[in-house]
Amino acid sequence: MTQPEPPGDVVSPFVLPAPPPDRETLAGWQHYRLSRASFLPAPRLTLADYRRLGPRRKALHDLHRTATHVNLPLLETPMSAAVDRLMRFRIQNNLLKTKATTQSGLMISGGGFQGKTETVCDSAAAFEDFLRDLHQQLNPDAVAGTRDLHAPVAYVQTPVTAKPKSVCEAILDFFGAPIPRGATLPQLCRLVRASLRDHGTRVLILDDVTRLKMHREADQDALDLMRGLMSMNVTLILVGVGIRKSGLLTGGHHDPASGQWHFPPRKGGKSYFNDEAGTQTDRRFDLIDLNPFRYDTPAGIATWAHHLAGMEDCLRLFRAEPGMLTTGDMPEYLFRRTQGVVGLLERLIEDGCAAAIDSGTEKLTVSLLDGIAIELRDVSGRDPEAGEIPEIPAPPATSPPAKRGRNTVFDDRGPASRPSAS
């Protein structure tokens, strides 16, 4: 006789989540902005409640738990909080300017899988929420007689083979603007200017900007075009891996007083937007690094442990005890496996949770994680040459089991040797 299941509200209905939105289109960005905090994690059940479920509801709850572990929320870190704070200040200051001057931009640098894109996109989406609420969802700068969609934020990935034309086309693709066949570069630039203006765009994010190689003239022209966008009343945010060593800062000088990098117009460069005010004004950028966690100071260790505690609170394992990730050797072990890179930590934890559920251990231990290699999936769109795929620390060395010695009791050692004659 089967036992009755718990009330229906113990296990919430679960539907497989939709595919991730394509943020490189206007519709995809809006879907991301509106749904970025909509995922509902699995309810917390005791092991006794779980055992009273029927087979089908157990399977659904396990699937919901797995979805919870692979969709962990974006936890704030001191490094991401600093990036968010600088972004809010820079975007807000530029938004309130009325002078016809080139607006200051931002450069967000860091290693691969350190959460740069997610941090920048989340902060930009929060700004768009604020701006839309401020203007009752309407574009305050709408062109009379048009019905252009309002797009305060545009997110564009830098093409792998970036040239001025391909950068313009990527921006136009975000808005779904038609691109005339055989259009010249000046024509594309005018279309970009019109799209940014007509859609009321105030923030333009160019991700993976370190794909530009400064020894190539076409890439130098593409960067010059990107800087020219700063004269179009938008806050330009460039995101990339290792910007300080990429060559993008070549030709600029750091102002210790303001903490900004100044870039005068490139000698011999082309003014793609034919904006005299823009070409006569230095392009100014704030540069901030999104670094990994550190484990070499008491403050760094405490910050790491605090982050692990926040992650632990999001997990749904039945035998997880308080301090599972924050006590004993676990914090140091997790740092050694991931070097403090949040993306590698998430991958290790989500794979570890899957193994814990599958094996029935229902908790994370050092021995369980030792058997899991960090494998970076879904990296086909990343450029290894630009540093977008980090080096993965080597897994713990596991010594092979000692071979059992052969039993030699019954070995025939031959006749005993006779003593030699004296």
Side-chain angles (χ1 to χ4, degrees):
M1 179 177 178
T2 59
Q3 295 181 344
E5 295 187 359
D9 58 350
V10 173
V11 178
S12 60
F14 176 66
V15 178
L16 288 175
D22 180 9
R23 290 182 292 209
E24 296 177 61
T25 65
L26 178 53
W29 172 266
Q30 293 307 320
H31 176 55
Y32 158 76
R33 180 181 67 85
L34 296 172
S35 65
R36 67 187 191 281
S38 62
F39 179 79
L40 293 177
R44 299 181 187 272
L45 296 185
T46 65
L47 185 56
D49 286 338
Y50 175 78
R51 285 172 173 168
R52 287 197 296 268
L53 298 177
R56 181 177 181 276
R57 296 184 71 188
K58 279 183 179 179
L60 287 176
H61 187 62
D62 287 343
L63 189 62
H64 199 170
R65 287 197 294 154
T66 301
T68 300
H69 298 150
V70 301
N71 290 285
L72 296 175
L74 183 64
L75 299 177
E76 184 180 80
T77 67
M79 297 77 73
S80 66
V83 171
D84 177 72
R85 180 174 179 271
L86 183 58
M87 278 188 63
R88 285 188 291 107
F89 285 175
R90 179 58 56 230
I91 294 172
Q92 176 180 283
N93 290 347
N94 287 343
L95 180 67
L96 298 176
K97 284 183 179 179
T98 59
K99 298 183 294 183
T101 59
T102 300
Q103 297 188 354
S104 297
L106 283 173
M107 289 185 178
I108 314 296
S109 180
F113 278 76
Q114 288 180 189
K116 300 182 301 301
T117 297
E118 295 307 315
T119 299
V120 168
C121 287
D122 186 70
S123 182
F127 159 75
E128 181 169 340
D129 291 341
F130 162 77
L131 190 64
R132 285 179 175 274
D133 182 65
L134 183 66
H135 295 292
Q136 290 79 47
Q137 305 297 319
L138 300 177
N139 181 2
D141 301 317
V143 178
T146 66
R147 298 181 62 185
D148 287 302
L149 296 173
H150 192 196
V153 176
Y155 173 83
V156 177
Q157 276 199 328
T158 306
V160 175
T161 55
K163 296 181 180 180
K165 276 191 173 183
S166 63
V167 172
C168 286
E169 290 171 351
I171 297 174
L172 293 173
D173 282 341
F174 175 85
F175 297 107
I179 302 175
R181 187 173 182 178
T184 63
L185 180 57
Q187 290 173 330
L188 292 175
C189 290
R190 286 194 293 271
L191 290 174
V192 168
R193 175 186 287 275
S195 290
L196 294 174
R197 180 189 64 246
D198 295 346
H199 290 85
T201 303
R202 306 308 298 266
V203 176
L204 175 61
I205 302 169
L206 290 173
D207 203 353
D208 298 324
V209 71
T210 42
R211 291 175 176 178
L212 298 176
K213 309 302 179 186
M214 291 300 98
H215 65 277
R216 298 195 294 242
E217 184 177 358
D219 292 32
Q220 295 178 24
D221 291 339
L223 180 61
D224 192 53
L225 180 142
M226 293 177 185
R227 292 173 182 168
L229 296 171
M230 299 173 70
S231 62
M232 299 176 60
N233 200 32
V234 297
T235 300
L236 181 62
I237 300 178
L238 305 181
V239 184
V241 175
I243 287 180
R244 296 180 185 274
K245 299 180 180 180
S246 66
L248 295 179
L249 301 179
T250 303
H253 67 277
H254 184 258
D255 182 3
S258 64
Q260 294 181 321
W261 283 82
H262 291 247
F263 295 88
R266 186 162 61 93
K267 293 182 179 180
K270 304 172 184 178
S271 177
Y272 294 101
F273 293 94
N274 193 26
D275 190 324
E276 295 182 3
T279 57
Q280 295 302 319
T281 306
D282 282 358
R283 272 74 173 173
R284 295 178 296 277
F285 284 91
D286 288 291
L287 174 62
I288 186 169
D289 294 290
L290 186 61
N291 294 315
F293 284 93
R294 303 192 57 156
Y295 205 79
D296 53 358
T297 64
I301 294 173
T303 301
W304 175 249
H306 180 74
H307 183 74
L308 294 179
M311 180 172 286
E312 179 183 314
D313 187 58
C314 299
L315 305 183
R316 300 294 190 266
L317 297 176
F318 294 129
R319 293 190 174 91
E321 300 175 353
M324 179 178 63
L325 300 183
T326 59
T327 58
D329 297 332
M330 186 63 83
E332 183 176 354
Y333 171 83
L334 292 174
F335 186 85
R336 187 168 61 251
R337 290 291 308 272
T338 64
Q339 294 301 305
V341 177
V342 293
L344 298 184
L345 175 66
E346 288 187 3
R347 186 57 56 87
L348 179 61
I349 294 299
E350 71 179 50
D351 288 350
C353 287
I357 293 174
D358 182 67
S359 64
T361 57
E362 291 291 341
K363 64 179 180 179
L364 297 180
T365 63
V366 170
S367 59
L368 182 141
L369 295 176
D370 272 346
I372 295 176
I374 301 177
E375 297 180 356
L376 299 182
R377 302 176 290 273
D378 304 326
V379 295
S380 57
R382 295 176 180 259
D383 183 7
E385 295 184 2
E388 296 169 15
I389 301 178
E391 294 184 5
I392 302 175
T398 55
S399 55
K403 294 183 178 180
R404 187 174 179 179
R406 189 172 59 85
N407 191 334
T408 61
V409 173
F410 298 102
D411 284 1
D412 182 5
R413 295 180 171 84
S417 60
R418 297 179 179 179
S420 58
S422 55

